Amino acid sequence: MSDTIPTTAKQLFSTVTEDGRLELAMRTVPVAEPGDDEVLIRVDAAPINPSDLGVMLTVADSNAFEAGENSASAAIPEAMLRHVASRKGVSIPIGNEGAGLVVKAGSAPAAQALLGKTVALAGGGMYATYRTAKASACMVVPEGTSAEEGASSFVNPLTALAMVGTMRLDGFKALIHTAAASNLGQMLVKLCLAEGIDLINIVRSQEQVDLLKGLGAKYVVDSSQPDFMKSLTEAIGETQAFLAFDAIGGGRLAGQILTAMEAAALKTQKANGPYGSTQHKQVYLYGGLNTAPTELSRGFGMSWSIGGFLLTYFLQRVGQEETAKLRAKVGAELKTTFASAYTSRITLEQAIEPAMIAAYNRRATGAKYLIMPQA
Amino acid sequence: MSDTIPTTAKQLFSTVTEDGRLELAMRTVPVAEPGDDEVLIRVDAAPINPSDLGVMLTVADSNAFEAGENSASAAIPEAMLRHVASRKGVSIPIGNEGAGLVVKAGSAPAAQALLGKTVALAGGGMYATYRTAKASACMVVPEGTSAEEGASSFVNPLTALAMVGTMRLDGFKALIHTAAASNLGQMLVKLCLAEGIDLINIVRSQEQVDLLKGLGAKYVVDSSQPDFMKSLTEAIGETQAFLAFDAIGGGRLAGQILTAMEAAALKTQKANGPYGSTQHKQVYLYGGLNTAPTELSRGFGMSWSIGGFLLTYFLQRVGQEETAKLRAKVGAELKTTFASAYTSRITLEQAIEPAMIAAYNRRATGAKYLIMPQA
């Protein structure tokens, strides 16, 4: 196939410019020759995940982009500039994961074995027409699976598995998840149903309640309802879910979850004097959909913790062997538990149009964008 | 000595009344006959620690107490009542720790061995003229140590040791402490100097800086100064102190500490993309001097955690044998590292006078109250 491979590729980059703007640009880059243990992948599909948006747009207003030459840019609010200071002048290739066809391979057997196969990988720089990668980083998608079906094989599936894995490692019995109608949230609903794990889904509209109930979710609580705290406390009492993963980050939600956990714990145990229940309560923040400060009222005793959560830290924690098992599980269930549904398919060029940037950053319920670099 | 033992004792209780007030009362209670493995202690000295004030006063305004018969009470703000709902109608004996003379002992050898000895103990209900206790809960103070010198043998010394112990167990190299001019803070300064541990003390006035520098503290940063964040970041860079114990709790300080830790970490490592440094950063809240919500800006990457910290949970974590070693260390260093200085000695009767309640709850730098039940 090498006669059809171009010498240059198109690739998207995100840059904080010297004059304090966020720029998304499409650039022409040379197609690198794969090394011995590498392969060259023709990228066919790469999703836009919430975790991509953080890298792509930082704190720029997605409604304020202006078109430039093969680029678009928006001002970064003055007060937020110090948060992105370390990125100034650095062009970051974007797109965490994707899938495509291996069109060229290095001499190593592991690389040669992938030639002509459709592979999925995570590792950044996937919003590109071509990309080289270590053969060891590639996962061959199962027979009969398209690049589009394999494009989201890493971030969401492994994050859902990491949540369940953390629950087991840390000795919790059930889970709470916020922004639970997301693509990841829907996967987690299916995964927990399959594994018999109680999951409390926190959403913010009746539409989202209906969506998750339709998937078979048992516990769905709507934070926009006046009885939210009561419903949440009852669900925690039933499930003993003292571990939560929160994608919202800002505002009062994480603290409200800890408060509801404490109220549920105090239904079955006496308070330890002024120090509340001895039940350990953990909330992990894995996203920041609300960029406002996190506000904790601390009315939940002394046995609690809140912290950042990152998939890569979980994978380091469990080690390579367990990571390989989790990947294999994703591969085997790519069309069932870990299937992703896309509502919009766009080109690399479209991905840097101001109106499109505003659209895919809106993060509407159920909306999911897939970049098709060959289109 | 039994001929001098009265049949009743005076004891202080804190109660949230049915009509929503916080009442501190002195009551007459029967002096219990010690069981086989128990002793009867004539309490000679018991300190008022910040941790006592939380139990004693809850969220009542310490400037609003009114005198009653052998009592004083203050309204609990309507909005805060739900936080103390579980205490309604429950009288809690107050005073976490203290010391006194064993005047009667049960038949067990361990109890008999304590007769006539001055012992220290923690276990609540120490603001009393007499108190029975398990012999196993008592620590005989070293030869030549008075009850007054032994009164604060548990809470502050063990908390300081727990901070250092947590640092070692969790793999950190140095410590940050807030409200560092407190009695506990001064102990921690002496302990860290003795053990060669770098300690960053955060205080809020020049007076407090001078106080700790006078004890030999190397790193003291003043949060009231405009260059606070810069000084804190530099001190963290020098010491690699990525673990903090915060007594303030509310407001922005815990988040500022994490932000300074992150800035210090990024001086020696590259940011992990948008996820910040991989350096784990931990802040424990062990007090709530500021009752406002904790506010976290989250500009410190994904590798961080903040949580409650309680001495009893630490002691459970390390087990009985290690706890015994820590207690022995406190006993041996009661007149040096773990010496407490008291500025006011008051009676049980004075402890429930409205003006005195306002005074001891002011928590002025260096002020420390000791209740002398026999006075």
Side-chain angles (χ1 to χ4, degrees), chain B residues 30-348:
Chain B
V31 170
E33 193 68 18
D36 286 354
D37 59 349
E38 289 184 333
V39 295
L40 178 67
I41 300 160
R42 182 194 75 197
V43 183
D44 291 313
I48 303 181
N49 289 316
S51 53
D52 290 306
L53 292 170
V55 186
M56 289 167 75
L57 307 180
T58 68
V59 287
D61 177 357
S62 58
N63 292 308
F65 274 78
E66 298 163 19
E69 197 182 340
N70 287 324
S71 70
S73 70
I76 294 169
E78 189 80 24
M80 304 299 274
L81 269 175
R82 66 185 180 87
H83 290 294
V84 294
S86 65
R87 282 194 49 179
K88 205 170 246 188
V90 183
S91 278
I92 297 183
I94 52 182
N96 282 326
E97 67 178 342
L101 188 71
V102 174
V103 292
K104 206 169 184 180
S107 58
Q112 285 292 319
L114 299 179
L115 198 58
K117 296 270 168 62
T118 295
V119 297
L121 79 158
M126 294 302 292
Y127 298 162
T129 49
Y130 288 86
R131 186 189 187 289
T132 54
K134 295 276 183 202
S136 59
C138 298
M139 179 178 93
V140 177
V141 302
E143 199 63 41
T145 306
S146 67
E148 187 173 319
E149 288 168 326
S152 296
S153 292
F154 289 86
V155 180
N156 281 345
L158 288 176
T159 301
L161 287 167
M163 291 174 178
V164 167
T166 299
M167 181 196 82
R168 290 187 177 129
L169 284 173
D170 291 352
F172 292 100
K173 286 186 216 163
L175 282 175
I176 298 173
H177 188 222
T178 74
S182 67
N183 221 274
L184 168 60
Q186 295 177 42
M187 251 178 221
L188 191 63
V189 166
K190 290 185 280 179
L191 177 63
C192 287
L193 276 173
E195 308 226 343
I197 295 166
D198 281 334
L199 170 69
I200 301 172
N201 299 278
I202 298 179
V203 297
R204 53 184 178 177
S205 71
Q206 186 58 43
E207 176 199 2
Q208 296 173 330
V209 173
D210 297 341
L211 174 72
L212 295 188
K213 291 271 185 187
L215 291 176
K218 182 171 174 193
Y219 300 96
V220 190
V221 291
D222 181 349
S223 62
S224 72
Q225 292 300 310
D227 67 348
F228 168 58
M229 285 301 284
K230 185 168 169 287
S231 305
L232 180 59
T233 304
E234 281 172 6
I236 297 169
E238 277 182 48
T239 58
Q240 300 290 293
F242 295 108
L243 171 64
F245 289 92
D246 174 35
I248 311 290
R252 295 173 56 220
L253 184 58
Q256 286 177 313
I257 293 171
L258 289 168
T259 301
M261 285 176 172
E262 178 71 358
L266 289 177
K267 282 182 184 165
T268 58
Q269 63 169 260
K270 254 186 67 177
N272 173 18
Y275 305 121
S277 79
T278 58
Q279 170 64 52
H280 189 64
K281 299 164 289 289
Q282 170 79 55
V283 176
Y284 285 113
L285 308 187
Y286 76 93
L289 293 177
N290 179 348
T291 55
T294 310
E295 215 180 281
L296 308 170
S297 67
R298 301 196 314 288
F300 33 72
M302 289 302 266
S303 192
W304 61 276
S305 181
I306 178 167
F309 184 85
L310 200 59
L311 172 59
T312 49
Y313 297 153
F314 171 81
L315 296 178
Q316 281 161 17
R317 179 181 179 191
V318 299
Q320 289 192 341
E321 199 177 322
E322 177 67 13
T323 298
K325 279 188 205 164
L326 296 177
R327 279 190 184 196
K329 181 175 169 71
V330 173
E333 299 176 31
L334 212 42
K335 295 193 176 192
T336 53
T337 316
F338 302 113
S340 289
Y342 303 100
T343 51
S344 306
R345 285 160 185 77
I346 62 175
T347 63
L348 287 172

